[in-house]
Every structure is written in C-alpha cells, then in structure tokens.
Amino acid sequence: MASISSTNSTSSLGNTSLRGFGGMASGIDRDSIIEQMTLGTTTKINNQKKKISQLQWKQEAYMNISDKIIDLTDKYASYSSSSNLKDPTAFAKNVISVHGKESSTSFVTAKGTSSLINNVSILGVGQLATSTVQRSQTHISETGLSTTVSDLGELSYSSKLAGLKLSFGVYDSTSHKMQDKGSFEFKSTYKTMEDDENGGKKEVTHTINYTPQTEAEYKKLVDDLNGLANEDGEDNALVKFTLEKDADGNHLIKVHAGKAAEKEGYAIKTSSSALTALGYEAKEGVDTSQGIKFSDFTSSQTKAFEESGIHQQSKIDYLTGKKLYFNYDGNQKQIELITSAERDAVKELTVKDLSTEEQQKLKDALTAAGEISPGGALDESQKLTDVYESLNKKLAELEEKKETDPTAADAIEKVKAGMGAISAKQMDKLKTESKLQDRLDKAFGKDMVKANFDGNISFSVTKKGSTLSAVTSDYNLLKELGISYGESNKINLGGTITQGALTEALDDEKIKITDANGQLDLKINGVQITGLTKDSTINDILSKINSSSAGVKATYVDATGEFMLISSETGEGRDISFDSDLAKALFDGGKDKLEEGKNAEIYVSYGDGKAVKLDRASNTFNLEGLTVTVSGVFGGSYKTDADGNEIKDTEGNRIWEANTSESVTFSAKADVDAAVEKVKTFFEDFNALVTDINKEITTRPDSSYQPLTDEQKAQMDETSIENWEKKAKQGMLYGDSAMRDLSVAVQSIFSKMMSNGASYEDLKEIGITYSEDYGDGGTLVFDETAFRTAMENNPEKVSRIFTGGNGISKGLVNVVEETFTPYATRYANRNGGSYGRLVEIAGTNKKPTTLMDNDIYKQLKEMQETIDSLNERLQVEQDRYISQFTTMETLLNKMNTQSSYLSQLTA
C-alpha cells in the first residue's frame, strides 16, 4: 500500500518546556496556556491526519479487491498457470489407457488427445531406436600399477615445513603474555579465482611443492606461498615471502610482515612450529618475551632452506614404514611398502655381494670419480649404501664440470653405470627379502594382487577385469612413488591424461595433445572442447564433452576399461567423428567397436487390420495426436529361414510377421478428479471475491469510530487499538461509484453466459446455477456431483461452457476475465492502456509501478504537504508565545527581587 509519512505532533506542547522555564516567577502553567492558544492549529493538524488515515484505509480496501481480481485471473485465466481453465485440455479426454497383454502394454505409454483414439492400435514393435555408440580401445596398463621406484639409493626429499604454522600475537603489558591474533599455516594447496573460457570466473586449486630442487621450483614455491598468504585478499595477508641466496648460493626463504600484520603491529610467537623449518636461529641477547619482531625474524633466518626445510634421505629409508591404501575391486586395505627388517637386509649389502661383472663396473666408476687410483682394489667390506652415496656426490660435481671439462662426460657415464649396478643389486635383494607379497595375499587373497620388483616396484592383478588403485593423503609419498592420487591399472577418473593406463594410447610423439595456447586439442563432431589442459582430470574432460554442443555423451566403463561415446539423439545417421589426434587416441576404437544408431520400427493399424510400418528416429513419436513412447520389442518377429537368417522382400526389407494377440489398443477419458478440484476451487475463489465486493458496497461506516489520535493510542492496549481500527475501517467504499459499477458487472456474468450461447439448462446440467439470494452480490452455485457426472459422460460440453466453441462464443472463464479487466488487470494493453479503474484510483501490489501513480497517492501527498505547512505554523506560534512568557517571567522576577530588597530596608 502506498504510504505518506507524517510528522507526529500532539495536542500538547510536548518538549517546548525545554526552551525556557515557565511559571517560575508567576506560578502560571505556561505550557497549558500556550496549548490552548495554539489549539486551532493543532486541531487542523489532527483533523488532517485523520483524513490521511481514512484515505489510507480506503486505499487498502480498493487494493484488497484489485489484488484479488488479478490473483483470480492469474490463477484461472493464464496459460502459464497449472490451474488454468481457459485451456480446453483441462477438460479433454487426455488420460490415456493402454490395453492388451501385460507383456505388451508394459512397453507402451501414451498421452495427449486423438480423434482416432478408438481406431488406432499398435500391432507390434520390431526394433527400438538406438543411439550411435563408439567404444574406445581398451585402456588398461599392461604393467599394472607401476611406480617410478627403481633406484633405492636415490635421494628422496620430504618437507619439514608443510603443515606447520607461524602464529602471531600482540604483547599484553597487563598479563605479560602474548595475545593470540591468528596464524598462517603452510598448507598443501590454495585457491584463486581466474578467468574461464566463457568470460566468467572459475575457482582454480594450486598444489604447493615444498621440496624444490631447481631455481625455477624455488621461485614458484615463493610465488605459491604468497598466493596462499593472499588467498583472502592482499589487505588481509599476515605474511609475505621473498627469495634470497646465502654466500654459498643456497636459498633463503625470507618472511616479512603482510599488510594485516604490519597494520596491527603483530609479532611472531616463539611457539610457532615453523620457526626451525624456515631457518630461524634465535640470536643471543635478543629479548623474545614480547614475541619476535619481523625484522629480528628475517635477520635470524640464517640456515639455507635446503637444510632447514627439506629432509634428504635415500629412497629406501624414506619408503620404510610408509603405508599405501590399495583398493582392489572395491576392497580397500592399507599395506606397508617396506619394513625396517627388509630395509636393513638391503642396507647390509657390501661390495663383496656384487658379481664379478658388477664389481668391475663399480671399480670403473670409483676410478672415474677419483675415489680409487687406476688399478686400485675395491674394499669388499664396504657397504653398498655408502659407496652409492659417495658416487652420488661425485656425480653432482662432474655434472657441474661437464661444460668445461671434456673428460667429464665419459666419467659421468662410468659413475652412472656403477651406481646402476648397485641399484640393480639392491632391488634384487629387496625382491628376495620382501614380504610385501605376503601382506598383499593376506589383504586380498593369494596372488590376487602381485608385487613386482623387475626394474622398478609395480603391482598387477591376475584376474582379468579387476581394478587396482592406490590412494593416500601423503602428497610426498605419491611424489616419491611417481604416481597420482587414485592411480590405477585402469583409467583413474581423478587423474590426468599422463596416467599409466593411457601411456600406450598417448605414447606416439606424432599425437598432438595441446594447441599453441596449452589447451587440450580435443575436437569431436567438429566441436572444439574448450577449457581443458594437461592438468585437467579425466572427469573434467568427460564433463566438458557432456556439456558441449558436440552431440554426444561420454562415459568410462570400468568393467572393460573403455571410454564410450553415445550420440545424444537416437536414430540412423548419428555419426561420431573424431577431428583431432587426441580425440582419436582417447575415444576411437575403430569400426569393430562402433554400433551405428537405428530407427525404431513400429507397426500400426488404423482399424482395418493392415499393418502400417512407421520408421522413426526416436522411441517417442506422434501417433494421430497421441505422444507415444515404446520401450521394448513385442507383437511378432521378422521372418527367418530354417537356418535363422532373416528373409527379405524384393526391395531388401525385412518381413514382419505380426502376432495380433500381442497388439495394444488405446482408450481415453477425462481426468475427472483434477477437473473437479480446479473448478471447485475456482468457484470458491470467485464467490469469496464477489462476497468481498458486495460487503464493501453494502457496509455502512460507523461515524462513532474515527481514527485514533496519538494520545488516544497511548491510553489503549494493542488489542483495543486493533479492534477499534477494525470497526473504523468498515464501510470505506460504501456507495463508491466504481465499486457499484463493478458489483453490477459481476451480477451480470450469468446472463452474459446465456447471451454468449450457453443455455440455462446447459449450465445447470454441468452444475452451475445463479444464487437465489439476490442480496449476495452475484455469487454462483457449484454442484460438485452434477459437474462430476457431466465430466464423466460429456466432458466436451463442460469444455465448451468453460472455454467456448461449438455454439458458445465465449466461455465462462473468458466472461469472468473480461468482466474484471476494466477494473483491475496485470496487462494494460488489454484495457486501452489502463490497469483498470480501481488500480488508477488506488494502485495494486501486483503491479509495483502503480503504487506511486494513482489518485489516492496524489491526494495523500497533497495532504502531507498541508500537514507540513501546519506544523511549521505551529512551531512559529509556539516560539512566539514562549518568547512572550519568557519576557513576562523575567520582568516578574526583577519585580520580586526589588520588592524583597525594599522589604529588607523597612524591616
């Protein structure tokens, strides 16, 4: 409802006594006198406010009617409404039943309407429409689940920093303690919002590598740490990172105050778990009781990150005690990879355990590395792990000399050969000593999952079709094993295209995997699948294909290890083309794995018993107005010879032999219950509206109930105010000309129906009559029993009366809508550009633009302006009288002072 806010003013002066003090000398009740002297103006204000209240109530009454009119037409005369009664389908025979043997009817559903419903039948379905299906080659890793662990002596790197925290606080001088102010955790991932291929934004997750080995990896680590710090915005960052080098060229990752920490004056708490891993060493004499200042922190970061943040050890030492979750055909078990005993057996190997050939390779390696002199002897008691470590260091030195020393290349090859001999012996020893196979047998059954130590550590399944995958939340372990989370002998949907199961398909260097922009070059049916990179998961790829316009749906069948592309539409001619190398490599299994789509073949009779073949691309089709869906084959078969081969006619078509006992027929009836419910509710809503209209124009206002003033409301409780205003609001539209005209129009609806071609007998037959109470304003009587009978026996007549047609120019719903439209409508173009008389007078909540564009709103605005003017006049009057009384009080006070002085002189 439109509302004008007014300034509250009371009949008393209220707070005017705050300006001066009345009656201190004279004893006169100043405020009471001024109230009487300004009574004329305050009375005008209160009267105007009463008029505003009455006009607002009148507007509410109008809007109550106009809103209900629009609700009624929206509900029953709008084609977008589920309760629409203008549409003949609300009364049509559209409940279709399928008759015949259950073995046939279970394959057929139908809806809609048809004039041939009693003639048409389906004799049978020869074949269903199918989609074109292209299966890929089988993507199963021949080596099973393979790791990159082949060199047990190779150095392994794990992070000392990942998962730790820097905590921050502010020193409290009262408690002499650091107050917690948040922390920064060195998490494994962080997220950013980046532009997507559609011009919008997408969330991207970045994984942080805490064990960098190259200069580029160190720079990326610092960039990623800053990305993690700024994940909630640069202004909220607690820290920022820079990369420096010490005198030996090793890396220092420096930590500085971020904008948030700098602004708030945070210090680093000494209990922070990440201090040591960042190379912090407290200096003597530095007071850290109030936390560590960022300047002191960075100056004390003296240890290189290679030492403080990264733990170096041999691969076998790293893997000892590590456990990996294996999932074998849905059965998941945690398996220890290498036990301490198994490791110790490998590390007990000495030079003596090498064969003569292997010892020679080792001797050549040590000679090339300068560890023994030419012709010198090997120390057979020396442990191979120690020899390997020594050679590894020499190899690094030789690699640095390679550019300047021409002899280094030959030495490098000999050192690598010697290290390779050690690695092969260690792996062979592990194969002999390992009880890993026993642990796998205990978990999954004997030899179901095989552990292999041939060159590298790998796992395979012996049962064809079985799936083996590995998972762990330990990022470093996955990195050291050289596998991704969920790595499998089949396709890992959470992995990328670089996974082992796809190695063979994508191992051809001629295959173009990405385009010039680093996007996957994936093109199907002429459509480029965008938004994918080498880092995208297989799930991402399948999802992008399915949401594209390529016209196919992609899936992965775990049981066979194949991708499957299915044309989105059924029927013949639904080709699937692969228009890029990557698409072919992933999805094209060749003609042998292509199933071309087929059309449905349905045999129909039109009442003469003859079979008419319908060839349709979809299993849902139109049959003389009915929408029919078939889901199975029934009703006969194609003719075959003695050997079971199909016999074809001279035109090459298969010959259908119908089994008429399996045919299906149709019948239709109206949805009586739904129609009864809609029509019953329509008359309830219509009559409620008519009753409201009649009540508004016949209820006289009670002049003894006027709008309450603020003083009156202050003396009443809420219930009393509510009951009073309920009586005061009655009769607001009594005698209103627009409402009288509306009531007359409503009372003519029944006669309008007869003038449009519906007879009184027709209306009565379907349960509609006019109320015999001529004082009720034109309500209609609905006989549910009669209406139900009419719907069951003659729904066509019901439809004509409600929607028109066949002798009735306008149906009941149209007549009702046209009757109400001149008074209230949602669509001005239906009413000569007007939203209706009632809406023009008071507006409607159903059309917000009318709330400030109606006659009453304009009147209220003018009345508000009058009140504002009267309030200004009242203020001037009050100020003038206050000034006069203040002057009088001042004079009386002086006189009283003089009188008191004279009295003292004569005393």
Side-chain angles (χ1 to χ4, degrees):
M1 182 191 74
S3 177
I4 302 291
S5 63
S6 60
T7 304
N8 289 330
S9 61
T10 64
S11 59
S12 67
L13 293 182
N15 67 354
T16 57
S17 60
L18 296 176
R19 302 192 305 277
F21 299 92
M24 294 293 290
S26 64
I28 298 173
D29 185 351
R30 180 198 71 174
D31 290 354
S32 179
I33 292 175
I34 293 178
E35 181 179 325
Q36 294 300 317
M37 296 174 74
T38 58
L39 183 60
T41 303
T42 55
T43 299
K44 290 179 181 179
I45 292 173
N46 286 330
N47 288 340
Q48 196 73 2
K49 290 176 68 178
K50 287 181 180 180
K51 290 179 182 179
I52 285 179
S53 294
Q54 289 176 325
L55 192 56
Q56 288 175 333
W57 293 343
K58 190 172 185 179
Q59 185 182 38
E60 287 179 8
Y62 276 121
M63 292 173 68
N64 177 55
I65 300 300
S66 61
D67 288 356
K68 288 182 178 178
I69 289 174
I70 293 175
D71 281 341
L72 186 77
T73 54
D74 280 351
K75 188 174 181 180
Y76 300 106
S78 172
Y79 285 98
S80 62
S81 170
S82 60
S83 300
N84 173 34
L85 293 176
K86 281 175 70 174
D87 188 348
T89 59
F91 311 99
K93 292 181 177 180
N94 53 14
V95 178
I96 309 299
S97 297
V98 183
H99 306 282
K101 289 184 177 180
E102 185 179 356
S103 58
S104 301
T105 59
S106 62
F107 294 133
V108 181
T109 60
K111 59 183 179 180
T113 58
S114 173
S115 58
L116 296 178
I117 189 75
N118 296 320
N119 303 94
V120 71
S121 63
I122 295 180
L123 300 178
V125 176
Q127 72 179 25
L128 293 175
T130 60
S131 297
T132 296
V133 178
Q134 176 69 69
R135 291 177 292 128
S136 72
Q137 60 180 296
T138 300
H139 295 299
I140 298 179
S141 173
E142 294 183 359
T143 58
L145 179 60
S146 181
T147 74
T148 59
V149 181
S150 59
D151 190 342
L152 297 176
E154 182 183 8
L155 284 179
S156 172
Y157 303 93
S158 58
S159 175
K160 298 179 183 178
L161 180 62
L164 303 184
K165 290 182 180 181
L166 281 177
S167 301
F168 308 97
V170 174
Y171 182 71
D172 184 354
S173 57
T174 303
S175 63
H176 302 294
K177 293 181 179 179
M178 291 286 288
Q179 293 181 332
D180 290 333
K181 293 296 181 181
S183 63
F184 175 82
E185 181 179 354
F186 290 88
K187 299 178 181 179
S188 59
T189 63
Y190 69 98
K191 296 178 180 180
T192 59
M193 296 302 296
E194 298 181 9
D195 296 334
D196 63 17
E197 65 276 8
N198 298 318
K201 293 289 185 181
K202 64 179 178 181
E203 188 176 74
V204 178
T205 300
H206 303 269
T207 301
I208 302 176
N209 174 19
Y210 282 97
T211 56
Q213 301 302 311
T214 66
E215 189 69 22
E217 288 178 347
Y218 268 99
K219 289 179 179 178
K220 188 175 186 306
L221 171 58
V222 171
D223 289 342
D224 284 338
L225 290 176
N226 283 319
L228 175 62
N230 296 328
E231 194 170 27
D232 295 327
E234 187 177 347
D235 290 338
N236 296 319
L238 292 168
V239 289
K240 61 182 178 181
F241 300 88
T242 60
L243 183 64
E244 298 179 12
K245 287 188 177 181
D246 61 15
D248 297 323
N250 293 315
H251 298 88
L252 297 169
I253 296 179
K254 294 287 188 176
V255 184
H256 312 272
K259 286 189 176 181
E262 191 173 39
K263 179 181 177 182
E264 302 297 332
Y266 293 164
I268 303 167
K269 298 180 71 174
T270 56
S271 58
S272 296
S273 58
L275 290 175
T276 302
L278 287 167
Y280 174 82
E281 292 182 327
K283 293 183 178 179
E284 293 185 12
V286 176
D287 183 11
T288 58
S289 61
Q290 298 183 21
I292 307 169
K293 295 179 182 179
F294 275 94
S295 57
D296 291 338
F297 180 68
T298 53
S299 64
S300 295
Q301 283 179 273
T302 55
K303 277 193 176 181
F305 192 74
E306 285 89 340
E307 179 184 355
S308 67
I310 302 174
H311 183 61
Q312 300 181 23
Q313 58 187 145
S314 66
K315 186 83 74 174
I316 191 170
D317 282 330
Y318 174 80
L319 292 176
T320 298
K322 289 289 188 298
K323 295 179 180 180
L324 189 65
Y325 279 101
F326 287 91
N327 192 320
Y328 174 69
D329 286 345
N331 182 20
Q332 182 168 286
K333 298 288 185 179
Q334 191 179 44
I335 307 296
E336 188 174 6
L337 297 175
I338 300 174
T339 65
S340 298
E342 293 162 357
R343 175 202 60 194
D344 293 344
V346 172
K347 297 188 75 171
E348 286 300 318
L349 287 172
T350 64
V351 173
K352 185 179 180 179
D353 294 311
L354 296 175
S355 67
T356 302
E357 182 181 352
E358 290 168 340
Q359 286 187 3
Q360 185 58 53
K361 286 183 180 180
L362 183 58
K363 186 175 182 180
D364 291 342
L366 291 171
T367 302
E371 293 292 290
I372 61 174
S373 59
L378 292 173
D379 181 359
E380 292 189 346
S381 65
Q382 192 173 12
K383 289 187 177 181
L384 292 181
T385 52
D386 295 336
V387 178
Y388 187 97
E389 183 178 349
S390 176
L391 286 175
N392 196 40
K393 290 179 180 178
K394 292 296 182 180
L395 180 62
E397 294 174 5
L398 289 169
E399 291 284 359
E400 291 181 0
K401 296 179 181 179
K402 189 166 57 174
E403 297 298 326
T404 57
D405 185 353
T407 64
D410 181 62
I412 288 172
E413 290 303 316
K414 290 180 178 179
V415 169
K416 286 183 176 179
M419 293 172 67
I422 294 175
S423 296
K425 179 60 68 175
Q426 289 178 328
M427 185 64 73
D428 188 58
K429 183 66 173 179
L430 180 62
K431 180 179 181 179
T432 303
E433 299 293 331
S434 177
K435 298 295 186 291
L436 178 57
Q437 187 60 57
D438 293 341
R439 296 191 286 274
L440 290 170
D441 289 346
K442 184 177 180 181
F444 305 116
K446 185 169 180 58
D447 290 336
M448 290 295 101
V449 178
K450 294 286 289 181
N452 309 299
F453 299 88
D454 300 326
N456 65 329
I457 300 176
S458 64
F459 305 88
S460 59
V461 296
T462 56
K463 189 176 179 182
K464 188 176 181 180
S466 289
T467 302
L468 178 67
S469 62
V471 294
T472 178
S473 58
D474 188 339
Y475 170 78
N476 278 325
L477 177 57
L478 292 175
K479 181 182 176 183
E480 293 301 329
L481 292 173
I483 62 176
S484 59
Y485 185 90
E487 189 80 15
S488 173
N489 62 318
K490 297 182 181 179
I491 298 295
N492 170 24
L493 296 179
T496 68
I497 61 173
T498 60
Q499 61 186 274
L502 291 172
T503 301
E504 183 177 346
L506 303 180
D507 199 27
D508 189 343
E509 293 182 358
K510 296 179 181 178
I511 291 178
K512 181 184 177 185
I513 294 178
T514 58
D515 60 20
N517 297 317
Q519 299 286 305
L520 290 187
D521 187 21
L522 193 63
K523 197 172 186 179
I524 300 172
N525 284 345
V527 175
Q528 189 73 41
I529 313 300
T530 60
L532 298 168
T533 68
K534 276 189 173 183
D535 294 327
S536 299
T537 66
I538 301 300
N539 268 330
D540 292 337
I541 294 173
L542 298 181
S543 178
K544 286 288 186 180
I545 293 173
N546 292 339
S547 63
S548 75
S549 59
V552 294
K553 297 300 179 184
T555 189
Y556 174 70
V557 183
D558 183 77
T560 63
E562 298 170 330
F563 288 114
M564 185 180 290
L565 293 188
I566 307 167
S567 63
S568 301
E569 300 291 340
T570 57
E572 297 174 357
R574 305 294 182 181
D575 295 333
I576 299 176
S577 65
F578 302 106
D579 308 311
S580 69
D581 291 343
L582 180 59
K584 291 177 183 177
L586 289 177
F587 302 114
D588 190 359
K591 290 293 183 181
D592 292 341
K593 293 193 175 185
L594 173 65
E595 297 176 25
E596 294 188 354
K598 299 176 182 178
N599 283 353
E601 294 180 357
I602 307 103
Y603 294 88
V604 177
S605 171
Y606 289 88
D608 56 2
K610 294 181 179 180
V612 177
K613 179 184 175 182
L614 302 182
D615 193 274
R616 297 292 182 265
S618 172
N619 293 315
T620 298
F621 54 94
N622 182 277
L623 181 61
E624 303 303 324
L626 296 178
T627 300
V628 178
T629 299
V630 293
S631 58
V633 173
F634 67 91
S637 61
Y638 289 105
K639 191 174 183 179
T640 59
D641 58 22
D643 296 326
N645 299 314
E646 289 186 345
I647 301 174
K648 297 184 179 180
D649 60 21
T650 56
E651 296 180 356
N653 298 313
R654 294 183 293 176
I655 301 172
W656 173 258
E657 294 183 310
N659 181 354
T660 55
S661 67
E662 296 183 358
S663 64
V664 299
T665 59
F666 303 94
S667 66
K669 65 177 182 178
D671 190 345
V672 176
D673 291 337
V676 167
E677 186 60 32
K678 287 182 183 179
V679 172
K680 179 182 178 182
T681 306
F682 165 73
F683 281 110
E684 289 173 353
D685 293 345
F686 172 81
N687 288 335
L689 174 56
V690 172
T691 300
D692 285 348
I693 294 170
N694 190 53
K695 182 179 179 181
E696 290 292 350
I697 65 172
T698 58
T699 302
R700 294 176 178 271
D702 190 339
S703 59
S704 60
Y705 286 89
Q706 293 294 313
L708 296 168
T709 64
D710 292 340
E711 294 82 3
Q712 290 170 328
K713 288 182 180 180
Q715 298 172 13
M716 301 168 66
D717 58 40
E718 290 185 7
T719 302
S720 298
I721 293 172
E722 183 179 342
N723 292 335
W724 180 282
E725 291 191 341
K726 185 177 180 180
K727 291 286 291 182
K729 290 179 179 180
Q730 291 179 354
M732 286 291 105
L733 301 181
Y734 177 75
D736 182 82
S737 59
M739 291 296 295
R740 282 201 310 270
D741 291 345
L742 173 58
S743 180
V744 171
V746 169
Q747 293 179 61
S748 68
I749 285 177
F750 196 82
S751 60
K752 284 180 182 177
M753 279 299 300
M754 289 187 286
S755 66
N756 276 296
S759 68
Y760 179 82
E761 289 73 18
D762 287 339
L763 291 166
K764 184 177 181 180
E765 182 182 341
I766 71 166
I768 304 173
T769 55
Y770 194 78
S771 172
E772 295 180 358
D773 183 358
Y774 295 102
D776 67 2
T779 59
L780 299 176
V781 178
F782 175 63
D783 184 339
E784 182 179 335
T785 302
F787 180 81
R788 182 178 290 276
T789 300
M791 278 297 299
E792 290 173 347
N793 299 320
N794 197 354
E796 292 83 2
K797 176 179 281 190
V798 176
S799 179
R800 290 199 306 274
I801 291 175
F802 272 88
T803 67
N806 197 15
I808 298 177
S809 56
K810 292 180 182 177
L812 175 60
V813 180
N814 287 94
V815 170
V816 169
E817 183 180 24
E818 289 184 1
T819 299
F820 284 128
T821 294
Y823 297 91
T825 178
R826 188 183 293 279
Y827 308 102
N829 60 342
R830 298 180 181 176
N831 202 35
S834 168
Y835 290 109
R837 289 177 65 184
L838 302 187
V839 178
E840 288 182 349
I841 294 171
T844 174
N845 291 309
K846 305 299 178 181
K847 203 71 180 176
T849 56
T850 66
L851 296 177
M852 297 180 68
D853 185 16
N854 59 75
D855 295 340
I856 289 180
Y857 179 83
K858 294 172 184 176
Q859 294 177 53
L860 289 170
K861 190 174 181 181
E862 291 175 358
M863 295 169 75
Q864 179 60 48
E865 291 172 354
T866 300
I867 287 181
D868 292 342
S869 178
L870 288 171
N871 275 325
E872 290 178 4
R873 182 197 300 179
L874 177 62
Q875 187 68 52
V876 171
E877 291 176 355
Q878 289 175 345
D879 289 345
R880 184 173 70 249
Y881 291 131
I882 288 172
S883 177
Q884 292 173 356
F885 269 91
T886 301
T887 301
M888 182 187 74
E889 287 291 326
T890 302
L891 291 173
L892 286 174
N893 188 51
K894 287 182 179 179
M895 290 175 62
N896 288 337
T897 301
Q898 291 174 352
S899 174
S900 176
Y901 176 70
L902 292 173
S903 296
Q904 292 176 6
L905 291 177
T906 58

